[in-house]
Structure formats: structure tokens, C-alpha cells
Amino acid sequence: MTDCIFCKIASGILPASIIYQDEKIIAFDDIYPKAPTHKLIIPRKHIATLNDLSAEDKGLIDEMTAVAQKLAVDLKIDQSGYRVLINCNPDGGQVVYHLHLHLLGGKRLTFKEW
Ligand code: DGP
């Protein structure tokens, strides 16, 4: 997707503070952090929303949550706690239409983060 911000980050056209990458997944700092730790975990493949995840993407969410789990340990928020969430479409608060997990932690979270 040529005009997708997250595709541009995944392909290196746009800069980001990347903290993890493999052949399918990339993770980087959210530019507008809502918590002391706020990372985004995205597939390299352009998938607009959770609604667009198909059978051919089987296992992808598992891999993304496995990256969240690993980052929580690396960032030392696994024991204090964290939140992983996906916003879908306008009522879900989605702004960037490229599937992503938010990983939030480093403070006692409320539901005011969204
Ligand atoms: P959502 O509302 O779930 O679509 O969240 C999109 C997130 O993406 C939001 O927390 C801010 C972040 N974001 C938007 N543009 C950029 C960008 O250019 N770079 C980075 N690193 N994050 C971005």
C-alpha cells in the first residue's frame, strides 16, 4: 500500500524507533505514547483492519502476541502488567488503517487511555 504510513515504516521509507523485526512482524515506538511504554506491533503485510484478517493469515495474531509477550519481558513490564489491544474502525478508535497491536505499560492503566 503506497500511502500507508505503517507500510512505509515497515519498508524503511519512513523512520521509526524499531525495537523488533523479523520477516513477518515489526515493532516500534508509538509516536504519541499514551503510557510510559507504548509500542506498536504490526505485520509487514498490509491488512487494513482486524476485519480484513483472512484464513491465509492464520497464525499471524499469535505471532504478534508472542512478540508482545517477548517485548513485555525485555522491557520489564511483564510482572507489573501491561495491556495489548487492537482498535478496529471508527467506533473502535482506529486511526491508522494497517492492523496493529498496541502494547501499553509502565503505569497503572485506566480506560481513559482510549
Ligand atoms: P490506532 O488509533 O489504533 O489506529 O493507533 C494508531 C497509533 O499510531 C497512534 O497511537 C499513533 C501512532 N502513529 C500514527 N502515526 C505514526 C507514525 O508516523 N509513526 C509512529 N511511530 N506512530 C504513529
Side-chain angles (χ1 to χ4, degrees), residues 28-99:
F28 50 89
D29 290 346
D30 192 294
I31 205 167
Y32 304 124
K34 291 185 167 67
T37 296
H38 189 171
K39 311 296 178 188
L40 299 172
I41 300 159
I42 71 165
R44 289 185 185 277
K45 177 182 174 184
H46 184 82
I47 299 169
T49 78
L50 188 58
N51 291 337
D52 301 300
L53 201 64
S54 69
E56 75 178 35
D57 305 312
K58 193 171 174 343
L60 187 59
I61 290 285
D62 284 354
E63 292 179 55
M64 291 166 69
T65 50
V67 171
Q69 187 186 48
K70 173 194 159 28
L71 290 178
V73 172
D74 292 350
L75 297 165
K76 301 187 180 7
I77 57 169
D78 57 316
Q79 296 306 311
S80 52
Y82 57 94
R83 182 176 296 160
V84 171
L85 65 88
I86 297 173
N87 296 323
C88 182
N89 276 339
D91 282 359
Q94 186 171 7
V95 174
V96 177
Y97 281 77
H98 181 126
L99 181 66

